[in-house]
Amino acid sequence: MARIAGVNIPTNKRVIIALQYIHGIGPKIAGDIVSKVNLDPARRVNELTDAELLQIREVIDAEHIVEGDLRRETSMNIKRLMDLGSYRGLRHRRSLPVRGQRTSTNARTRKGPAKAIAGKKK
């Protein structure tokens, strides 16, 4: 198992797909990393040498914020909004949609399962 940025990436997948298992790396950044290290995108992780894995690790460490640091930064940004008492912070605090979506009918993912209201049926 190859371990990059504290994540065990799958060995039988292509390098671009396997890198996306790291939080903070999507298709675009994975492609950029592979091109910087001069790897063939069709190669699989189990075909990589230790030197190539080391190069990938160095590129990720030098140029990208991933995993724990990214999660910490995101949570700190949300906490900052909540402490300021901004509109977005209040929406986070109440577990409601933050970006202007309607809440009258939808927003079940954010609000959780529907709660029955007594005496509502007529």
Side-chain angles (χ1 to χ4, degrees):
M1 272 243 153
R3 191 167 177 83
I4 298 175
V7 176
N8 293 329
I9 60 173
T11 54
N12 56 347
K13 293 189 183 284
R14 291 187 306 131
V15 178
I16 290 181
I17 304 300
L19 284 175
Q20 293 178 38
Y21 279 70
I22 300 170
H23 180 75
I25 295 182
K28 168 98 173 60
I29 293 177
D32 293 346
I33 291 169
V34 168
S35 64
K36 276 188 183 149
V37 181
N38 295 325
L39 291 177
D40 178 24
R43 286 181 68 186
R44 302 200 175 258
V45 175
N46 56 9
E47 299 169 358
L48 296 177
T49 64
D50 289 337
E52 290 167 337
L53 282 172
L54 184 64
Q55 281 182 316
I56 291 173
R57 265 190 218 108
E58 288 171 353
V59 168
I60 290 173
D61 288 343
E63 300 175 13
H64 302 287
I65 301 173
V66 292
E67 279 302 319
D69 293 336
L70 180 62
R71 291 179 205 271
R72 189 176 311 107
E73 185 177 328
T74 306
S75 66
M76 290 302 292
N77 287 339
I78 292 171
K79 187 176 183 314
R80 177 179 53 82
L81 289 171
M82 287 166 49
D83 291 343
L84 284 173
S86 67
Y87 181 77
R88 283 171 54 201
L90 294 175
R91 302 299 281 183
H92 274 294
R93 193 177 299 150
R94 294 179 186 159
S95 297
L96 291 169
V98 177
R99 298 187 179 178
Q101 297 92 333
R102 66 166 47 229
T103 58
S104 171
T105 54
N106 299 328
R108 278 293 130 215
T109 301
R110 189 70 193 194
K111 290 166 71 173
K115 300 165 195 76
I117 299 172
K120 180 77 173 178
K121 189 196 274 188
K122 271 199 176 176

